[in-house]
Amino acid sequence: MSNKIINIKGISKSNNQFVVQSQGFNINISNNVSDNWSNDPSPEEFLLAGFAGSINAVGKLIAEELGIKLESLLVEISGELETKKSEGIKTRSRAGFSKIEVVIKPVSDASLDLLKKWLDEVKERCPLRDNLINTTPVLLTLLKEYKEA
């Protein structure tokens, strides 16, 4: 069994930013859920960007295993986001994405059959796809009176 623990810490700043720290780098995320008036990406855009990055990383690994030479890989993701619930508007819809569409465009001399096999493996082994299509236990803990160090 090979498990890797990934830790991040996020701190809300007063200038409408949420700063995430991980492995020695910072990522600025907008505090906005449904408006796009910030210069920083929204949390939902980061989720889709991470999904695209995961597809790319796993796709390149599997291509190497299958002997496929990928000159480049374009991953386009579009998500339809329900914003009513996060805005506090009563709705029967669930919060978050109601649909995510992914288009993968590899540039390769590999045959269509081999690329289909490659894509099947990417779908099977991509960890973020697995988390998006399956239930993952999420534990939330509240600690009162946090003080920034």
Side-chain angles (χ1 to χ4, degrees):
M1 182 169 100
S2 148
N3 290 337
K4 177 180 180 181
I5 304 296
I6 297 173
N7 296 303
I8 63 115
K9 176 174 68 171
I11 302 169
S12 185
K13 299 293 185 176
S14 60
N15 59 351
N16 203 34
Q17 282 187 335
F18 187 70
V19 179
V20 176
Q21 300 168 339
S22 176
Q23 298 180 8
F25 60 86
N26 292 343
I27 302 169
N28 293 332
I29 301 174
S30 169
N31 281 333
N32 300 314
V33 175
S34 60
D35 294 329
N36 290 331
W37 58 269
S38 173
N39 289 332
D40 296 321
S42 70
E44 295 78 15
E45 289 168 319
F46 260 103
L47 177 76
L48 296 183
F51 186 21
S54 184
I55 290 168
N56 176 68
V58 172
K60 287 186 171 193
L61 176 70
I62 294 168
E64 188 175 310
E65 291 172 1
L66 295 176
I68 297 173
K69 182 177 182 270
L70 286 179
E71 292 178 38
S72 68
L73 182 59
L74 175 65
V75 180
E76 298 175 332
I77 300 182
S78 177
E80 188 174 320
L81 184 63
E82 168 59 71
T83 61
K84 289 178 186 172
K85 189 165 269 186
S86 62
E87 293 169 352
I89 300 170
K90 296 279 186 201
T91 180
R92 294 169 74 184
S93 300
R94 47 184 283 255
F97 289 107
S98 58
K99 163 173 75 168
I100 297 173
E101 295 181 27
V102 181
V103 177
I104 300 173
K105 300 177 183 178
V107 176
S108 175
D109 290 336
S111 70
L112 185 56
D113 285 341
L114 186 55
L115 288 174
K116 285 180 180 180
K117 179 180 178 180
W118 167 80
L119 182 58
D120 286 342
E121 278 293 308
V122 171
K123 288 193 289 189
E124 178 67 25
R125 293 169 52 183
C126 178
L128 269 67
R129 179 180 179 273
D130 185 85
N131 283 126
L132 287 167
I133 66 172
N134 294 301
T135 302
T136 300
V138 177
L139 307 171
L140 294 175
T141 303
L142 172 67
L143 297 177
K144 191 173 182 285
E145 299 189 27
Y146 160 77
K147 301 218 191 263
E148 189 172 346

